[in-house]
Amino acid sequence: MTDTNTIIPGADAIILALQAEGVETMFGYPGGAIMPLYDAMYRFGNQPRHILTRHEQGAVHAAQGFARVSGKTGVCITTSGPGATNLITGLADAFADSTPLVCITGQVNARLIGSDAFQEADILGLTTSVTKWNIRITDSADLLEAVSRAFYIARTGRPGPVVIDIAKSVLVEKIPYNYEICESMPSYHPEPIPDDKKIRRAADWINQSERPLLFWGQGVLLSEASSELKLLIDKTGMPAASTLLGLSAIPSSHPLNMGMLGMHGSYAPNVLSAKADLIVAVGMRFDDRVTSDPSSFVQNARVIHIDIDASEHGKVIQPHLAVAGDAARVLKSLVEYVEPAMHKDWVAEFRALQKIENDKVIVGDLSLETEKIQMGAIIRRLSERFPSNTLVVTDVGQHQMKVARYFNFSTPRQLVTSGGLGTMGFGLPAAIGAKVACPDKPVLAFIGDGGFQMTMQEIMTIIQEGTDVKVILLNNGFLGMVRQWQELFFSKRYASTELLNPDFVKVVDAMGLTAKRISTSSEVDSAIDWLLSHKGPCFLEVATDPEENVFPMIPAGTPVSQMWLEKINTK
């Protein structure tokens, strides 16, 4: 705590508070209402470092990428009005995916609030439904406590985004600097104490089960419970499968890792979930992409649901046993209580279905014998040739599902993608944030041609900051995931999904980034050689098969056990 006799402008106090919270990097875009804070940044020698994005949406997605790979709280700063409203998509994305953010927005002078002043917007009202907490500061006496609480709320319990909306007058008024790190708050109890009796009962059910199946989600990564998860799986011999956001918690190569759940996940865990007699769900929320039709989901199994957020229990699937608590803490106890076991016959059923999926889907997806490049083929080759600690960031669409299926993950927090909201435009700025957080790790950003054009201006952020991101544009000339649904369920009526694209290589080259394009499978290996040898950021456009689809697939509302391995005539 600094001497309380130190009297400084509110803007200076914010900079010192950010330093006290250990913030080293933040992302943002200046404007009138927030200008005093940017002036303070200048006077403090850009400590913390500020990265100027080309759009406020880029700033919030970059902060998300930073938070997702580092485990720290991401910070972004914008001005009032349109600057603040441009954060809303990223806030909704962070809220859906439990990403800790502190977003500081400028607001008009306190005396002007409510007068429809220039660049005034009710950011408090606009962000209430997409934040864990938000607050408007019009009295400078409330400023430092609000900042301290914001960081505490964002990072504790189930993480999430927080907004502090600060009147411009507060930034210039002088206040005593008496900042204290928040360590608790009345009526806010972020981490429930797990009920040991329930954990013991869960262990008994696991010990009694003949066909157990474990589902894990991002909660395992957020609680840094990867080691505990692996210990539980190894000890019990229990097959396990991940949600999209849980990928990388344990290596893809683990013998009991059966792949990904969900609409475009792995065949075996989706189909066999209907035969399981016990489901152990850890740090996941039974999203509709996983359950499809909740009324038919895991009907033959007892369900144990472990989650730090008790409001998730029974929201979609009613568990037979709900354990509220941090995943690492609960799993550590479970490992002590469960008995060693093997489920050879049960695991053999997974292996049999894995072979079917391999023969019908995977072999073709990974082939480099076709003239047109298959997305899965280049993704797998990149996975094999880039270092095992490479961070992988995706946008949203077919390429996202192909990366989830075919990139081999080996270390926790290796994948950054937009899950709950499915935000196109997320990938490029999130990759910038990921690289800034982990400068010593390679970063591959896989992006579709549709999503790239939503935030492609952030290429200039890469250039200005010298951020070493390898951008892989998988260009099929369509909004591919929507086109796939139009093909399968709308008789190939491709309404507003075919894209007239620019020459991406020329565009990116004009911005100042080295770029090249490939269009045939024979060019894949040489292109990867180029990516590996190129020093600094670069851009590879890959022309892919415009008619390529993502299988397996669970049609919306269909029981997961009826997963398709190929196109079925729906007429």
Side-chain angles (χ1 to χ4, degrees):
M1 185 174 72
T2 302
D3 184 356
T4 56
N5 292 322
T6 303
I7 307 298
I8 56 177
D12 292 34
I14 292 172
I15 298 298
L16 290 175
L18 293 171
Q19 292 176 354
E21 291 288 350
V23 176
E24 296 179 350
T25 306
M26 47 197 181
F27 307 84
Y29 204 97
I34 201 68
M35 203 175 298
L37 183 56
Y38 276 81
D39 185 60
M41 289 181 206
Y42 184 89
R43 288 184 286 103
F44 276 79
N46 200 31
Q47 296 296 325
R49 175 189 180 191
H50 177 272
I51 292 178
L52 173 66
T53 59
R54 294 305 183 268
H55 192 285
E56 292 87 355
Q57 184 178 351
V60 66
H61 289 330
Q64 288 177 268
F66 181 95
R68 291 274 290 274
V69 301
S70 68
K72 300 176 182 179
T73 301
V75 178
C76 71
I77 300 175
T78 73
T79 194
S80 64
T85 59
N86 281 341
L87 293 182
I88 290 177
T89 295
L91 289 169
D93 192 282
F95 189 68
D97 288 351
S98 303
T99 304
L101 298 181
V102 169
C103 298
I104 298 173
T105 59
Q107 186 54 273
V108 300
N109 285 323
R111 64 182 176 81
L112 296 176
I113 292 175
S115 69
D116 293 330
F118 176 67
Q119 290 194 332
E120 180 188 2
D122 180 12
I123 194 64
L124 208 65
L126 288 166
T127 63
T128 295
S129 65
V130 292
T131 53
K132 190 176 176 183
W133 185 63
N134 64 5
I135 188 169
R136 175 178 296 144
I137 306 300
T138 57
D139 186 338
S140 58
D142 299 329
L143 176 62
L144 292 179
E145 183 180 23
V147 173
S148 181
R149 287 190 170 194
F151 276 92
Y152 179 68
I153 292 169
R155 69 174 178 260
T156 55
R158 181 178 181 173
V162 169
V163 166
I164 317 171
D165 193 45
I166 306 174
K168 185 176 183 179
S169 50
V170 171
L171 296 174
V172 298
E173 291 172 6
K174 291 189 175 182
I175 59 173
Y177 181 75
N178 53 359
Y179 192 76
E180 295 183 5
I181 302 291
C182 183
E183 296 179 348
S184 66
M185 288 173 55
S187 75
Y188 173 56
H189 306 289
E191 185 179 328
I193 299 173
D195 186 331
D196 191 65
K197 290 182 180 179
K198 289 186 175 182
I199 297 174
R200 288 180 180 273
R201 190 186 313 162
D204 288 341
W205 288 7
I206 293 171
N207 294 337
Q208 296 163 11
S209 173
E210 295 181 356
R211 297 185 305 280
L213 178 55
L214 186 144
F215 297 161
W216 86 84
Q218 189 186 204
V220 170
L221 293 165
L222 294 174
S223 67
E224 299 182 351
S226 295
S227 296
E228 289 81 3
L229 176 66
K230 185 175 180 297
L231 287 171
L232 179 66
I233 293 169
D234 288 342
K235 187 173 182 180
T236 61
M238 182 167 31
S242 172
T243 67
L244 173 64
L245 293 185
L247 290 172
S248 82
I250 63 172
S252 303
S253 60
H254 190 285
L256 291 174
N257 184 349
M258 300 302 175
M260 186 174 71
L261 299 165
M263 180 174 285
H264 293 292
S266 304
Y267 189 54
N270 280 289
V271 170
L272 291 178
S273 64
K275 289 188 65 177
D277 61 10
L278 178 69
I279 298 293
V280 182
V282 185
M284 53 90 73
R285 59 190 179 88
F286 291 107
D287 177 81
D288 62 285
R289 280 297 192 263
V290 167
T291 63
S292 191
D293 175 14
S295 67
S296 64
F297 189 67
V298 295
Q299 288 182 310
N300 301 312
R302 289 195 290 194
V303 176
I304 301 169
H305 192 184
I306 300 165
D307 203 287
I308 198 168
D309 184 357
S311 71
E312 292 295 345
H313 295 149
K315 190 170 78 174
V316 178
I317 298 297
Q318 187 64 48
H320 299 85
L321 180 61
V323 182
D326 177 72
R329 187 171 177 179
V330 174
L331 291 177
K332 184 177 180 180
S333 295
L334 263 181
V335 170
E336 294 179 6
Y337 298 148
V338 295
E339 298 170 357
M342 296 179 68
H343 298 279
K344 289 184 178 180
D345 293 343
W346 178 227
V347 170
E349 292 190 48
F350 284 83
R351 300 286 180 240
L353 294 188
Q354 285 177 330
K355 185 178 187 311
I356 292 172
E357 180 181 357
N358 182 72
D359 294 345
K360 287 196 171 185
V361 178
I362 296 174
V363 169
D365 278 359
L366 300 186
S367 175
L368 284 172
E369 300 302 317
T370 58
E371 180 180 355
K372 294 178 181 178
I373 300 171
Q374 304 297 304
M375 285 185 277
I378 189 167
I379 290 165
R380 176 58 62 85
R381 289 293 284 164
L382 285 161
S383 175
E384 292 168 345
R385 297 192 57 193
F386 264 73
S388 61
N389 67 342
T390 297
L391 298 176
V392 179
V393 185
T394 84
D395 210 82
V396 170
Q398 287 179 313
H399 71 277
Q400 176 190 32
M401 296 295 100
K402 296 283 188 174
V403 169
R405 287 178 53 78
Y406 296 125
F407 203 96
N408 289 321
F409 301 104
S410 58
T411 58
R413 296 185 180 270
Q414 192 175 357
L415 173 67
V416 179
T417 193
S418 172
L421 198 66
T423 303
M424 291 179 66
F426 173 87
L428 184 61
I432 295 171
K435 183 62 180 181
V436 170
C438 300
D440 296 330
K441 294 182 179 181
V443 174
L444 291 176
F446 292 95
I447 307 173
D449 46 321
F452 181 66
Q453 291 179 86
M454 292 187 173
T455 52
M456 64 189 290
Q457 67 273 8
E458 301 306 334
I459 289 289
M460 293 308 303
T461 305
I462 288 176
I463 293 169
Q464 183 164 344
E465 296 294 329
T467 312
D468 187 4
V469 173
K470 312 298 186 189
V471 181
I472 317 297
L473 180 71
L474 297 173
N475 181 2
N476 60 9
F478 277 91
L479 300 176
M481 191 62 83
V482 184
R483 184 212 60 78
Q484 176 169 335
W485 277 66
Q486 289 172 334
E487 175 188 341
L488 298 178
F489 305 109
F490 293 87
S491 302
K492 294 187 177 183
R493 295 188 294 274
Y494 296 145
S496 299
T497 49
E498 187 171 3
L499 294 170
L500 175 60
N501 289 325
D503 184 325
F504 289 113
V505 169
K506 286 184 178 179
V507 170
V508 172
D509 182 68
M511 290 181 175
L513 189 61
T514 303
K516 69 180 300 181
R517 182 180 192 271
I518 62 172
S519 58
T520 62
S521 294
S522 62
E523 299 173 281
V524 166
D525 282 323
S526 62
I528 296 174
D529 289 339
W530 175 73
L531 288 170
L532 286 165
S533 63
H534 185 84
K535 303 299 182 183
C538 59
F539 177 93
L540 175 66
E541 179 186 358
V542 182
T544 64
D545 184 348
E547 296 185 337
E548 182 179 359
N549 287 329
V550 185
F551 286 104
M553 177 180 184
I554 304 168
T558 301
V560 298
S561 58
Q562 297 178 23
M563 192 174 212
W564 294 3
L565 286 170
E566 57 192 356
K567 180 179 177 181
I568 294 176
N569 190 343
T570 57
K571 292 183 179 180

